[in-house]
Amino acid sequence: MRPISNNPVTVTSDTSDSDLVAAVTGGNRQAFRLIVERYEGAVATTVISMLGNITEAEDIAQETMIQAYRALPSYKGEASFKTWLSRIAVNRSLDALRRKKRRFLWFLNKDDDDLLNDVPQQHCTNQQREQREAIQQSLLQLQPEFRAVAVLRLVQGYSTEEAADILQLPTGTVLSRLARAKKQLAAQLRERL
Amino acid sequence: MNHDDEQEKQLRQQLASLQVKGFESGFFADRVMQQLQRETDSGFLSGLHEELQRMFFRVSLPAAAFALVLGAVNLMIYSTPDLTVSGFVDALLGIRGLESDLLFTI
């Protein structure tokens, strides 16, 4: 537990999400640091899986956090904080992919080939690293809309309803995209692994 | 368990390796907080600039309008058919016909 005492309301790493949000909206900026530390992993997993490129992913993750900070007063707690943050992360990633597609369409494949060396791979053997690269490469072959569903459902483990809520899509659309993504992923992985 | 569930389970196990605890740099939170600080600082400065600009227009525009009206009224009161350039300026300022002694007094 790491208390932060230079603020009107003392917050610790054990403080609940809703209390941290209340503290941030009340002007306690250090409470936001705890939110960032708490959800860095979830946001990093989402943006790295979506974008592949670790440098770009870190930029998008930062934008996600800054946007979340600005939008915090509008967070009413209908969805869990993680779900709410994931929505921002996915939308930011999709925006980045659209921008990238528009600007550097012909560089995209080259970038994607290089990017996997950067993905965090602590304590990985060569075989694990190769397997992981193959998995990430397979994921990157999916169209962004299908990739978003696959990342949320298969990597992050969200339910179909939660994924639909995050992507603001009907459940049926999520299910059909997931089915197509799974089919493509399975085919890709069979080839690569 | 049907084929779809099995496939999903297998895919999940394979994709689980993509989960990370954070960025490898280890300074992500610092980076976010610094960016937030920078944005707040620049936001404060641009807010100050906007406020000063708003205050300037709030004061200077009514003052300019008042001066225009005053000049127009002066012109209507003091202008004569034989108005010269210097006479026009005097009329505009409302000091036409005033003796220099009186001007100094004003």
Side-chain angles (χ1 to χ4, degrees):
Chain A
M1 188 163 24
R2 196 156 50 80
I4 290 172
S5 52
N6 59 338
N7 294 293
V9 181
T10 302
V11 286
T12 68
S13 49
D14 293 336
T15 306
S16 70
D17 286 348
S18 53
D19 288 344
L20 282 179
V21 170
V24 176
T25 50
N28 184 342
R29 186 169 285 189
Q30 283 307 312
F32 187 68
R33 187 188 185 89
L34 292 178
I35 291 178
V36 174
E37 286 170 352
R38 185 172 295 176
Y39 290 108
E40 178 185 343
V43 171
T45 300
T46 302
V47 293
I48 292 172
S49 305
M50 285 296 292
L51 302 167
N53 185 317
I54 188 72
T55 312
E56 191 183 6
E58 200 163 346
D59 288 342
I60 298 300
Q62 180 179 311
E63 286 177 19
T64 298
M65 292 300 189
I66 300 288
Q67 187 179 340
Y69 179 82
R70 290 201 199 107
L72 265 184
S74 68
Y75 172 68
K76 303 292 178 216
E78 290 104 349
S80 78
F81 189 78
K82 190 182 171 191
T83 304
W84 184 75
L85 199 57
S86 294
R87 185 183 298 158
I88 299 174
V90 169
N91 285 335
R92 281 279 177 179
S93 302
L94 288 171
D95 285 346
L97 287 169
R98 281 185 206 114
R99 281 201 304 268
K100 198 168 162 180
K101 192 178 173 187
R102 272 201 302 268
R103 285 182 297 182
F104 304 112
L105 195 59
W106 57 92
F107 289 131
L108 194 61
N109 290 333
K110 184 189 171 298
D111 286 351
D112 286 350
D113 287 341
D114 296 340
L115 51 86
L116 297 168
N117 298 327
D118 296 333
V119 175
Q121 294 167 358
Q122 300 100 324
H123 317 299
C124 280
T125 63
N126 275 350
Q127 194 189 354
Q128 284 172 322
R129 198 168 63 85
E130 280 170 19
Q131 192 173 349
R132 188 187 175 131
E133 283 177 10
I135 292 166
Q136 177 101 42
Q137 194 64 264
S138 304
L139 195 60
L140 291 171
Q141 296 302 312
L142 299 177
Q143 282 178 32
E145 289 73 17
F146 294 91
R147 202 186 306 163
V149 174
V151 167
L152 292 172
R153 282 284 282 108
L154 305 174
V155 181
Q156 293 279 37
Y158 283 111
S159 68
T160 305
E161 289 72 24
E162 285 171 325
D165 183 35
I166 290 169
L167 296 168
Q168 303 197 295
L169 290 172
T171 312
T173 309
V174 171
L175 283 172
S176 65
R177 285 186 186 180
L178 180 66
R180 208 166 137 186
K182 279 198 293 192
K183 202 174 162 187
Q184 284 181 20
L185 266 177
Q188 286 276 340
L189 288 170
R190 262 198 304 276
E191 270 179 33
R192 290 171 192 272
L193 295 177
Chain B
M1 193 182 277
N2 64 32
H3 178 256
D4 274 359
D5 290 339
E6 265 180 51
Q7 190 192 37
E8 183 166 330
K9 193 180 168 192
Q10 196 187 350
L11 277 172
R12 268 194 190 183
Q13 281 168 352
Q14 287 173 317
L15 293 174
S17 66
L18 298 179
Q19 289 207 354
V20 291
K21 287 181 179 167
F23 291 100
E24 222 172 25
S25 66
F27 301 109
F28 180 68
D30 291 337
R31 200 182 140 173
V32 171
M33 297 311 286
Q34 281 165 7
Q35 178 64 20
L36 208 56
Q37 188 59 48
R38 270 196 297 273
E39 289 196 7
T40 310
D41 291 345
S42 67
F44 171 75
L45 287 176
S46 69
L48 187 69
H49 175 72
E50 278 172 25
E51 187 57 34
L52 287 173
Q53 213 170 23
R54 206 173 302 129
M55 278 169 67
F56 171 76
F57 285 117
R58 203 174 287 164
V59 174
S60 66
L61 281 180
F66 179 72
L68 267 176
V69 170
L70 201 66
V73 170
N74 286 338
L75 274 177
M76 280 193 297
I77 295 170
Y78 299 111
S79 62
T80 53
D82 59 333
L83 204 61
T84 59
V85 174
S86 62
F88 174 80
V89 174
D90 287 351
L92 193 70
L93 297 173
I95 53 175
R96 194 160 188 227
L98 292 183
E99 296 299 324
S100 53
D101 292 354
L102 191 56
L103 272 176
F104 279 122
T105 310
I106 292 170

